[in-house]
Amino acid sequence: MSIVPEAERPNPYSAYGAHGSVLVLNSGSSSLKYQLVNPVGGEAIAAGIVERIGETSGGSQGIVTHTFAGNRTRREVEVPDHGEALRLALGLFEEIGPRLADAGIYAVGHRVVHGGSEFSGPVVVDDDVVARIDALVPLAPLHNPANVQGIRVARELLDDVPHVAVFDTAFFSSLPAEAYTYAIDRQVAAEHDVRRYGFHGTSHQYVAGKVARVLGRRVQDLNTIVLHLGNGASASAVSGGVPIDTSMGLTPLEGLVMGTRSGDIDPAVVFHLARNAGMGIDELDRLLNKRSGVLGMAGVNDFRELRRLIDEGDEHAALAFDVYIHRLKKYVGAYAALLGRVDVIAFTAGVGENDTFVRAAVCEGLAGMGIAVDPERNTGAGSGERIISPDWTSTLVMVIPTQEELAIARQCVEAVDGQHPTAAVTSG
Ligand code: AMP
């Protein structure tokens, strides 16, 4: 499909500037999320999601939702694979808008979960890059296959614009060796690429940069703990714009308690269950990634549901919340020790941006460390960047909505323009 702007058609998006718009794609195992982003102004021009890809057996249909100019269109159709999912999405752009030819697409950005030690910044995709991402599948068997598939079909269907891969691991590629090295036999580690990579890097980098801009400070002068609390959750310690530690590891399983993932456990739990519960590797993988975390403890993984259960007196829900907060507090304390001085704690993502109980509980009892949350500021109206700590604390506690698609779009522009990959991500 051609998406080169047609000269004779007036271009309503010329206001987006020389870089036009960027189509950001996030391919999951059974979903394709997309957003058309203005990398200059930062707004989402249109967005959508194709769900239940490949799950059309047994009468269940795929679902496509497309939002443009305040109108939401929802369709149920058969979506056998990612190619069909993207074809459907492109069809909705034509039918409902905005027409991609009018939107002046500058690049297509692909969110890729694992870049291993190979990729430390965004990269313009060619056949060699696809092969290298594919070669990383052993490190991310749950994520990279869908990412590769998404890139392959998008390059076929949108063959006249550059495609850029933006890696969740890239921001953390500069972690110091003492933070990324696991204390295991060094030959085994080297042979099998076993080390901490870290994930959600695009979000951690964006939020750390945004904190500085909101405060009118230089990112080089700030020590920030970023708490990305979504369905997946991770913490990072960022000193002067550079990460010095992060909670996710070889895979996104390590660290904080998450919606469905256990986060940190004694690795011997795996041996114990394999020996005594007869669980195989795949079953253990599913247990720890899909059936653990808040879901495993409380039966729900959405924090709005969790709150409802707590309010009804459900003791499993109350314990799940306590375990979640206990783990978060440990990471805040550990990262405070690593940073030496904490200027800002920034909450972001679905839980971090919305759950006032989580934010209050994490900071409760930390006044001695100069950390506190002001109840009114915490629960007050507002959805943008804001400070929720009282005036007397040495550490600012902030809520910073993450904008991963925008950050990806800006990294795409930089990669295509051949600029330094990390320069402008923190600038908007
Ligand atoms: P994310 O992965 O960043 O999209 O976050 C999704 C999660 O955010 C959901 O599973 C909920 O647990 C949580 N969430 C979203 N909205 C709210 C809300 N208004 N209050 C509490 N938690 C929320």
Side-chain angles (χ1 to χ4, degrees):
M1 174 175 296
S2 170
I3 51 173
V4 173
E6 293 168 34
E8 66 277 15
R9 193 181 294 140
N11 183 350
Y13 302 101
S14 53
Y16 298 152
H19 286 122
S21 56
V22 176
L23 180 63
V24 176
L25 300 180
N26 183 354
S27 307
S29 55
S30 64
S31 70
L32 173 74
K33 285 189 207 148
Y34 59 90
Q35 199 173 104
L36 188 67
V37 182
N38 169 9
V40 180
E43 72 273 19
I45 304 160
I49 179 166
V50 186
E51 293 167 280
R52 297 202 202 151
I53 300 171
E55 293 178 14
T56 42
S57 60
S60 136
Q61 294 273 30
I63 301 170
V64 192
T65 315
H66 182 87
T67 307
F68 172 53
N71 296 315
R72 191 165 166 271
T73 306
R74 185 179 183 279
R75 303 238 171 105
E76 290 193 19
V77 275
E78 274 211 17
V79 194
D81 53 37
H82 283 77
E84 186 56 25
L86 185 58
R87 247 175 247 112
L88 279 165
L90 296 178
L92 287 173
F93 275 107
E94 285 303 300
E95 184 190 329
I96 292 160
R99 294 194 61 202
L100 293 180
D102 297 334
I105 293 199
Y106 191 69
V108 178
H110 298 268
R111 179 180 183 186
V112 179
V113 169
H114 216 308
S117 304
E118 287 265 313
F119 299 101
S120 57
V123 59
V124 178
V125 175
D126 58 17
D127 291 347
D128 175 56
V129 167
V130 177
R132 283 160 66 203
I133 297 172
D134 204 24
L136 292 168
V137 163
L139 281 175
L142 302 180
H143 299 99
N144 272 35
N147 298 157
V148 171
Q149 214 175 350
I151 292 174
R152 287 202 169 117
V153 299
R155 287 181 78 210
E156 268 171 44
L157 292 174
L158 301 164
D159 59 2
D160 54 0
V161 280
H163 290 248
V164 178
V166 178
F167 300 89
D168 254 20
T169 47
F171 181 53
F172 298 117
S173 63
S174 60
L175 282 177
E178 64 270 24
Y180 73 66
T181 304
Y182 287 125
I184 65 169
D185 182 297
R186 68 171 185 266
Q187 273 168 358
V188 173
E191 202 171 320
H192 297 282
D193 303 314
V194 176
R195 53 160 283 182
R196 178 183 309 288
Y197 293 97
F199 298 85
H200 293 146
T202 308
S203 176
H204 286 271
Q205 183 177 21
Y206 172 83
V207 169
K210 190 76 178 175
V211 161
R213 285 194 304 289
V214 168
L215 298 176
R217 303 271 305 272
R218 290 176 354 128
V219 74
Q220 292 87 340
D221 297 334
L222 289 176
N223 283 349
T224 303
I225 295 175
V226 180
L227 301 175
H228 176 110
L229 310 178
N231 197 32
S234 59
S236 69
V238 183
S239 179
V242 178
I244 60 167
D245 206 353
T246 191
S247 58
M248 284 178 165
L250 175 83
T251 76
L253 182 55
E254 193 181 345
L256 302 176
V257 176
M258 309 182 212
T260 66
R261 297 185 201 129
S262 62
D264 297 336
I265 54 165
D266 180 346
V269 169
V270 173
F271 320 143
H272 174 75
L273 291 176
R275 290 190 187 114
N276 298 297
M279 289 187 174
I281 290 297
D282 291 336
E283 199 177 352
L284 284 161
D285 199 328
R286 266 196 308 281
L287 174 75
L288 297 180
N289 274 296
K290 305 256 189 235
R291 293 172 45 209
S292 294
V294 174
L295 179 72
M297 291 183 287
V300 297
N301 63 319
D302 189 307
F303 272 65
R304 290 161 287 196
E305 286 285 293
L306 187 71
R307 180 54 41 191
R308 188 179 56 73
L309 291 176
I310 293 170
D311 289 344
E312 286 171 3
D314 186 313
E315 63 191 45
H316 300 297
L319 178 61
F321 184 82
D322 290 348
V323 174
Y324 183 90
I325 297 298
H326 182 84
R327 183 81 52 84
L328 259 170
K329 269 193 143 112
K330 285 210 291 195
Y331 271 90
V332 168
Y335 288 176
L338 287 177
L339 289 166
R341 182 198 81 232
V342 184
D343 299 306
V344 179
I345 296 176
F347 285 90
T348 194
V351 177
E353 290 168 32
N354 295 297
D355 198 309
T356 56
F357 299 96
V358 166
R359 297 196 299 252
V362 172
C363 298
E364 194 183 326
L366 301 186
M369 294 170 68
I371 298 169
V373 157
D374 178 86
E376 276 179 28
R377 289 180 185 173
N378 186 33
T379 54
S383 56
E385 302 88 21
R386 56 205 186 272
I387 295 171
I388 58 167
S389 46
D391 293 335
W392 56 264
T393 57
S394 52
T395 297
L396 292 174
V397 180
M398 301 180 72
V399 179
I400 304 283
T402 193
Q403 297 203 55
E404 288 177 285
E405 282 81 7
L406 172 60
I408 289 171
R410 288 188 172 153
Q411 294 196 38
C412 285
V413 170
E414 285 159 21
V416 172
D417 286 354
Q419 292 166 353
H420 188 273
T422 56
V425 183
T426 54
S427 68

